[in-house]
Structure formats: structure tokens, C-alpha cells
């Protein structure tokens, strides 16, 4: 049986061992910490869908759900996110920001997740990453920017579920599209998924705590500055493909206090974009 044979035993692919749920709980769940529950499932359609359903049943703040394989993982605009089993990190977290954070600041949670993930990967795996507004994480492969992770946030009542799909060990012939990348292809020095997941969740806990302590204020918590400093979209000419079929071209000049991307258009107007697909038209100056 070859190492890449994924039939039968969950240990068949020796380069991609399964996660140890008990070890993750020991490392992450603490009486005074954010994380209260860490579950690992072999396969599911979407960790976000599952955790939103748990939120409806009253799941606790700080619940984490990880899947070794997603069969119907979703990105923005209901795009699919699929990868071979145990080739990445596919997980969702449930948080309840509470009365201390006004709901108008909750839109910062996917951006906070991007900042936390990028910081963790840089420190743990020595890999350069960049954030593409609003919810992608980029790595450099053979001199090209490629998407290695996507983030999706969904609200249910007083809960927000944030999902992350991160390509870790995908090889070139396993990529779903040519513009995708992985930590392995970007030369990351650490590919152990447990190490990476612990680092990302601890980084999220740190940033989330800072953000909540500031009442969700992105400026006071340092989140707005951190996002801007790591955002590859800023300083570029981009095309925003907006809901309803409208396109807007301009230079991305800022991320405002509501987490919107501000574009300076050719007619001298600065227009904030709250949602849409962003296409980088040229490198940052």
C-alpha cells in the first residue's frame, strides 16, 4: 500500500496523520481561557454549518469544531472549499461577543481571524503571508501570490461562527485551482497540523480578548492597524465586483472603522465597499 493511499485505515497516509483531539483539548481548554470545547470529527459536510446548528441548540461560547475532511466546505458566495483528507486545517469556532461589544463591530471578526491566523503562521511556520480583503490569506509560491486560506463568518442570534479552511500539505497536483497555494508549497518550516492549529487558536484567543476588552473598537484594540499593515490589497488598483453586478475600479486606500475597503476612484471619490469580490489589478506601489 502506497503512502498516498487514502482507503482503509485513517493512518494510511503517513505524511498526514490524524489530529489528536485529547491532546488538543489538554493544550487549549483552560478554566480561564476562551476555548471551552474542542471536537474533532473524521468527516463532515461543513464545520460552519454544523456549528451554526449547534449554536441554535445553545452551544457554549468558545466551542471549536475541526474536521479531518470536509465534503461541502463553503467559502463566500457559497463557493466550495474542498481538499484531500488531513491535507489542511478545516475548523470553525463559535463565539458570543455579548453585550460588551456592539453588534456593529461584529463585522470585524473575520478580519480579526485573518490577523490572528497570519500572525500565528508567521511565528510558528516561518512563512510569509498577506491578507487579501475581506477574507483570504495569501502565500507566495514561485514568485506568485496564491490563496492558501479562506475565512467565512456567519451570525446566528447572539453567536458568530467563524470558519477557516487552510491548505497545509497540498501538493501542486492536488490544488483545486491554479491560483491556490499551500503552506508546503510556500516553504513553511512547520507542517504539523496540531502545532499549527494550537498556534492559530491561541493567536485568535489573544486578539479576541484584546478586541473584546476594547468594546470591539478596532482602533483602540490595535486590530485596525494590524489588519492594514498585513493587507496586500491596500495600495493596489483593484476591481471590486459588487452585489448586483456592478463593478468599481479604484485604488484601495484604507480599511475604515467598519471594516470596509475604501477605494479612491478615478473621479476623485472615495467609496467604501462593504461586500464584494476583489481582484488585484496590479502590485502595490
Amino acid at each position: 500500500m502506497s503512502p498516498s493511499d487514502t482507503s482503509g485505515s485513517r493512518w494510511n497516509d503517513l505524511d498526514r496523520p490524524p489530529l489528536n483531539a485529547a491532546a488538543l483539548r489538554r493544550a487549549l481548554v483552560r478554566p480561564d481561557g476562551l476555548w471551552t470545547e474542542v471536537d474533532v470529527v473524521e468527516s463532515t459536510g461543513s464545520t460552519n454549518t454544523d456549528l451554526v446548528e449547534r449554536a441554535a441548540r445553545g452551544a457554549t461560547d468558545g466551542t471549536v469544531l475541526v474536521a479531518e475532511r470536509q465534503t461541502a466546505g463553503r467559502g463566500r458566495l457559497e463557493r466550495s472549499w474542498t481538499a484531500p483528507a488531513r491535507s489542511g486545517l478545516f475548523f470553525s469556532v463559535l463565539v458570543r461577543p455579548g453585550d460588551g461589544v456592539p453588534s456593529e463591530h461584529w463585522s470585524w471578526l473575520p478580519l480579526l481571524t485573518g490577523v490572528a491566523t497570519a500572525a500565528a503562521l508567521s511565528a510558528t511556520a516561518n512563512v510569509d503571508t498577506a491578507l487579501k480583503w475581506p477574507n483570504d490569506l495569501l502565500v507566495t509560491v514561485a514568485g506568485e501570490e496564491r490563496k492558501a486560506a479562506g475565512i467565512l463568518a456567519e451570525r446566528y442570534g447572539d453567536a458568530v461562527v467563524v470558519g477557516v479552511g487552510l491548505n497545509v500539505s497540498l501538493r501542486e497536483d492536488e490544488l483545486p485551482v491554479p491560483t491556490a497555494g499551500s503552506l508546503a508549497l510556500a516553504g513553511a518550516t512547520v507542517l504539523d497540523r496540531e502545532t499549527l492549529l494550537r498556534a492559530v487558536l491561541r493567536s485568535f484567543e489573544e486578539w479576541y480578548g484584546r478586541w473584546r476588552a476594547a468594546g470591539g473598537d478596532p482602533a483602540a484594540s490595535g486590530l485596525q492597524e494590524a489588519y492594514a499593515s498585513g493587507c496586500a490589497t491596500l495600495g493596489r488598483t483593484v476591481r471590486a465586483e459588487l452585489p448586483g453586478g456592478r463593478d468599481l475600479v479604484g485604488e484601495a486606500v484604507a480599511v475604515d472603522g467598519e471594516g470596509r475597503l475604501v477605494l479612491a476612484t478615478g473621479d476623485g471619490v472615495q467609496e467604501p465597499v462593504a461586500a464584494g469580490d476583489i481582484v488585484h489589478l496590479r502590485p502595490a506601489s
Side-chain angles (χ1 to χ4, degrees):
M1 184 178 295
S2 68
S4 59
D5 187 347
T6 56
S7 62
S9 167
R10 61 201 290 260
W11 280 97
N12 282 341
D13 191 339
L14 298 180
D15 290 332
R16 293 171 175 167
L19 296 167
N20 185 325
L24 287 169
R25 292 188 195 103
R26 287 194 299 270
L28 293 166
V29 177
R30 308 186 315 274
D32 60 342
L34 171 61
W35 308 121
T36 56
E37 185 176 347
V38 180
D39 291 335
V40 179
V41 297
E42 185 67 21
S43 179
T44 191
S46 162
T47 56
N48 254 40
T49 298
D50 292 352
L51 211 45
V52 168
E53 291 175 356
R54 289 197 194 184
R57 299 195 299 268
T60 60
D61 185 27
T63 298
V64 181
L65 178 62
V66 191
E68 297 284 29
R69 178 172 177 262
Q70 283 193 132
T71 59
R74 293 176 293 121
R76 289 181 62 253
L77 307 179
E78 297 300 317
R79 295 191 180 105
S80 63
W81 180 279
T82 58
R86 304 191 302 275
S87 65
L89 289 173
F90 320 113
F91 67 95
S92 298
V93 303
L94 184 156
V95 291
R96 299 182 187 272
D99 296 335
V101 179
S103 60
E104 58 264 28
H105 291 323
W106 293 12
S107 60
W108 273 93
L109 279 168
L111 281 69
L112 181 154
T113 305
V115 168
T117 302
L121 296 178
S122 176
T124 306
N126 194 31
V127 63
D128 290 332
T129 61
L131 300 166
K132 180 185 176 188
W133 188 92
N135 68 333
D136 291 345
L137 188 143
L138 307 176
V139 295
T140 302
V141 179
E144 296 180 345
E145 283 184 339
R146 297 197 196 176
K147 177 179 175 177
I151 298 163
L152 177 67
E154 300 179 78
R155 180 173 175 178
Y156 185 89
D158 68 345
V160 180
V161 172
V162 187
V164 177
L166 171 64
N167 292 335
V168 176
S169 64
L170 266 74
R171 300 178 285 269
E172 194 77 42
D173 62 350
E174 296 176 315
L175 297 174
V177 293
T179 54
S182 69
L183 298 186
L185 293 173
T189 56
V190 174
L191 298 177
D192 179 78
R193 292 183 305 137
E194 283 185 29
T195 300
L196 295 171
L197 182 57
R198 290 196 305 268
V200 170
L201 290 175
R202 285 169 176 160
S203 182
F204 182 99
E205 181 175 10
E206 178 183 346
W207 274 106
Y208 182 74
R210 191 180 305 176
W211 176 75
R212 283 200 75 233
D217 187 317
S221 63
L223 179 58
Q224 187 173 4
E225 180 181 1
Y227 188 88
S229 67
C231 183
T233 303
L234 294 179
R236 280 183 149 128
T237 298
V238 304
R239 181 176 69 251
E241 299 173 350
L242 306 176
R246 175 177 170 239
D247 285 357
L248 180 66
V249 174
E251 181 183 354
V253 295
V255 174
D256 70 12
E258 297 179 34
R260 302 176 300 181
L261 184 68
V262 180
L263 300 186
T265 63
D267 55 9
V269 175
Q270 291 200 352
E271 186 165 343
V273 174
D277 270 3
I278 299 297
V279 179
H280 290 172
L281 299 181
R282 64 173 174 79
S285 57

